[in-house]
Amino acid sequence: MEKLASQKRPSKVENLYLNMTDDKRWFVNYKVVFNDGTKSKARKETGLAHYNIALQKELNFEKRKALGEKLMKLILADVAMGVDPQNRESDLKEIFQKEHLEAQKIEDEKISFDIALEYLKRDKGWINPSQQKQATAESVPTMLENNFKTFLITIGKADDLRTVTRLDIKNFIEKHFNMPLGSVGRWSSTTCQTAKGRVGMLFNSLLERDLIEVNPTKDVKIKHDSEKIEQDENDENEDLYEPWTNDEVSTWFEGFKNGVEFPVRITKNIQKVVEVTSYLIHYCFIRKREILRLKMSMIDFDNERFILPTKITKSARKLKANESIFIDIPTPALNALKEYVEFIFPNGFEKDDFLIWKFQSKNPYKYVTLNTQFDNVREVFKAKYPKMYNITNHYALKHTGAIKLFNVLSKMRKTPMEIQNKIKDQCRHATFSQTETYLRRLKLTFDEHREKIEF
């Protein structure tokens, strides 16, 4: 949550400590410094008035002390957000109202695929077409709906075409271009050129209305048929977007800690969600749809791993022989996960709580919501770090992580079989050949060496 816009708001806390001198009445002592330089009188917070913490009722000394320390953390967190602990309810209500209005504004400004297609039909005279236009008026919208809209839905951008990038168009074209031989939807170079032109027409209608600044089909190159990547029909689609560079990854994670100042519309909650999901994608190779279905019962902090029911995974039908899948949580992701849980569940959690949820509802985030939030955070980073031109896809963090894992295992002199088995397990591929295809598409190859054998 961001600080409220009103003039006088808390900016920091002074003289914060847990007073335990009177065994019958413990309290947290603190002063609030406001953004105009003034200070409050010394305050005594016992918990029940504003935080639903019964500090006095707990008789066990250690548990009571832990409650007191928790109360101090909550006071610090509130003040950091510009919330006055003594006006907590009204301040939080104001924040939620502002968030709702901003979210509604963003929602109202969206340009869905259906709206864009309606614009295109009007511009081309396809609503009541003449006989000469009849065939085109049917074929172009049909292709766009059956192919492009379906693709946009899979990447979570069908509800707002303003978020579509040049790389999205490139991935859409190459997805069809490189489909396995004999697949329905495999396009030749000529068909790809036609598809690009039709998609370009859709965005031109938005460009002419000043709803977008650049047509994302611009500069998308169509490959020759000789450049097809041939693959087996059983190869699974790994959503292979261009990986981030290592510098982009480190700048991204460091920016959440310090260095990036977010606008009011990107609340602290949104920042935390995008940050923790980035860690889980990059280090644990968990897909976004899986993250949004994670419950707290699936996190094994003691053994530093996720325990996922097979049914929530992408390859559930192929892995149905297993009841659960175990995924290691590397230390950077584990630390980020613990910090996120402490922030989002300050009063504790239940095992059925979703890991990713909104403040006033325990319903999980929608896939589209997470994509939109990533896009908004990404634009803030690009404004501060213009060289981060590559960060166009959230899930591509996984591919950078897989490359790093491959290189680390190679330096450890693991055999090719050991490396592929480790990556197969962490990616949860259903087959060994799927891992081989994934490594090939990431352009990862094992060093060839020649050993002379005497006999």
Side-chain angles (χ1 to χ4, degrees):
M1 273 181 271
E2 293 292 324
K3 293 186 177 181
L4 300 178
S6 305
Q7 284 190 341
K8 187 171 181 177
R9 286 293 170 191
S11 59
K12 63 179 180 177
V13 177
E14 287 186 352
N15 201 28
L16 177 71
Y17 64 89
L18 179 60
N19 190 311
M20 303 181 291
T21 55
D22 184 349
D23 189 54
K24 294 182 179 179
R25 189 174 184 274
W26 288 18
F27 60 87
V28 171
N29 185 91
Y30 72 99
K31 287 184 179 180
V32 170
V33 179
F34 296 95
N35 55 6
D36 63 357
T38 60
K39 298 181 181 181
S40 70
K41 294 180 180 179
R43 297 178 176 181
K44 299 178 180 180
E45 178 62 60
T46 58
L48 275 177
H50 306 103
Y51 293 95
N52 196 28
I53 292 180
L55 196 59
Q56 314 305 336
K57 293 182 180 180
E58 179 56 62
L59 300 180
N60 181 279
F61 179 85
E62 292 300 328
K63 290 182 178 180
R64 196 177 189 187
K65 185 178 179 182
L67 283 176
E69 291 172 349
K70 181 178 181 179
L71 185 55
M72 287 193 290
K73 287 182 179 180
L74 290 172
I75 290 171
L76 284 170
D78 278 349
V79 171
M81 294 186 292
V83 173
D84 190 331
Q86 291 191 348
N87 298 315
R88 192 167 190 263
E89 185 174 350
S90 61
D91 283 359
L92 287 175
K93 183 178 180 181
E94 185 179 341
I95 286 178
F96 293 138
Q97 288 174 341
K98 287 179 179 293
E99 285 185 357
H100 176 73
L101 290 173
E102 185 62 35
Q104 189 60 51
K105 180 182 177 183
I106 293 172
E107 194 68 31
D108 291 343
E109 292 176 351
K110 287 181 178 179
I111 305 165
S112 69
F113 171 88
D114 293 334
I115 291 174
L117 186 59
E118 187 66 22
Y119 288 156
L120 176 61
K121 288 178 179 179
R122 291 181 193 173
D123 293 347
K124 297 296 183 181
W126 292 345
I127 295 178
N128 293 303
S130 62
Q131 187 174 358
Q132 293 87 344
K133 293 183 177 181
Q134 186 72 45
T136 306
E138 292 180 2
S139 62
V140 174
T142 298
M143 173 269 162
L144 291 172
E145 288 192 287
N146 291 346
N147 294 285
F148 190 52
K149 183 179 181 180
T150 301
F151 171 77
L152 292 176
I153 290 172
T154 63
I155 65 172
K157 295 188 177 183
D159 67 329
D160 192 359
L161 267 62
R162 298 174 305 167
T163 63
V164 176
T165 65
R166 186 193 68 83
L167 191 57
D168 291 330
I169 304 299
K170 178 176 177 287
N171 289 329
F172 166 65
I173 297 293
E174 293 197 351
K175 173 187 174 184
H176 289 278
F177 182 71
N178 288 318
M179 277 188 175
L181 186 65
S183 298
V184 176
R186 175 183 164 106
W187 291 348
S188 66
S189 177
T190 302
T191 304
C192 288
Q193 190 68 55
T194 301
K196 175 191 170 183
R198 291 176 174 181
V199 172
M201 290 164 56
L202 186 72
F203 284 98
N204 274 338
S205 292
L206 304 182
L207 193 64
E208 291 171 3
R209 289 172 170 80
D210 292 327
L211 297 175
I212 57 174
E213 294 182 1
V214 178
N215 189 322
T217 62
K218 183 182 179 182
D219 298 329
V220 173
K221 295 181 179 179
I222 303 300
K223 295 180 179 179
H224 298 291
D225 287 327
S226 60
E227 298 177 90
K228 281 185 181 291
I229 300 174
E230 299 298 348
Q231 54 181 311
D232 297 332
E233 289 189 28
N234 291 328
D235 287 350
E236 291 207 16
N237 177 20
E238 273 289 344
D239 299 326
L240 195 59
Y241 301 96
E242 189 172 353
W244 296 28
T245 66
N246 289 331
D247 285 342
E248 287 165 347
V249 172
S250 59
T251 300
W252 180 256
F253 288 130
E254 181 62 29
F256 285 104
K257 304 300 180 188
N258 52 67
V260 173
E261 194 170 313
F262 292 94
V264 174
R265 64 188 176 86
I266 301 179
T267 65
K268 191 69 173 178
N269 184 32
I270 292 175
Q271 296 170 40
K272 286 291 186 183
V273 167
V274 175
E275 180 184 15
V276 77
T277 52
S278 296
Y279 271 101
L280 297 185
I281 292 170
H282 183 63
Y283 286 98
C284 304
F285 306 168
I286 298 187
R287 301 174 180 92
K288 286 185 284 186
R289 291 190 186 278
E290 294 170 344
I291 291 174
L292 297 178
R293 298 167 73 182
L294 281 176
K295 292 186 177 181
M296 297 307 297
S297 60
M298 301 175 190
I299 306 175
D300 182 358
F301 282 113
D302 292 336
N303 294 300
E304 302 180 356
R305 64 183 182 177
F306 288 109
I307 304 176
L308 300 188
T310 307
K311 64 183 180 182
I312 79 166
T313 67
K314 181 178 180 180
S315 302
R317 61 184 177 83
K318 294 185 178 181
L319 301 171
K320 59 185 178 183
N322 304 323
E323 290 185 4
S324 300
I325 298 173
F326 302 96
I327 304 174
D328 291 336
I329 309 177
T331 301
L334 184 68
N335 292 338
L337 185 61
K338 288 179 177 178
E339 182 181 320
Y340 169 82
V341 169
E342 185 175 344
F343 172 80
I344 209 77
F345 297 110
N347 296 316
F349 55 81
E350 302 294 332
K351 65 178 183 178
D352 285 332
D353 286 339
F354 287 98
L355 175 66
I356 308 296
W357 63 282
K358 297 184 179 180
F359 276 108
Q360 290 184 313
S361 169
K362 292 195 176 183
N363 294 321
Y365 269 50
K366 292 181 179 179
Y367 186 81
V368 172
T369 302
L370 180 59
N371 283 334
T372 300
Q373 291 176 350
F374 164 75
D375 289 339
N376 291 337
V377 170
R378 175 195 61 194
E379 295 311 311
V380 175
F381 270 83
K382 284 189 173 182
K384 183 171 178 63
Y385 307 107
K387 291 184 178 180
M388 294 188 74
Y389 59 88
N390 231 16
I391 56 170
T392 54
N393 185 273
H394 201 183
Y395 189 64
L397 276 166
K398 172 201 171 182
H399 309 317
T400 309
I403 293 169
K404 288 166 66 175
L405 176 59
F406 179 92
N407 291 333
V408 167
L409 293 171
S410 297
K411 288 180 181 178
M412 293 171 65
R413 298 193 178 278
K414 298 289 185 181
T415 66
M417 183 66 71
E418 289 173 324
I419 293 174
Q420 289 185 227
N421 273 327
K422 179 60 180 175
I423 293 178
K424 175 179 178 292
D425 290 342
Q426 194 71 358
C427 290
R428 287 153 297 125
H429 290 156
T431 63
F432 196 75
S433 63
Q434 187 182 344
T435 305
E436 291 180 315
T437 299
Y438 182 54
L439 295 178
R440 184 172 70 246
R441 296 177 72 192
L442 285 176
K443 300 178 181 178
L444 295 173
T445 57
F446 299 101
D447 291 334
E448 294 185 7
H449 63 279
R450 175 176 174 269
E451 183 177 348
K452 181 182 177 183
I453 301 176
E454 298 287 357
F455 61 93

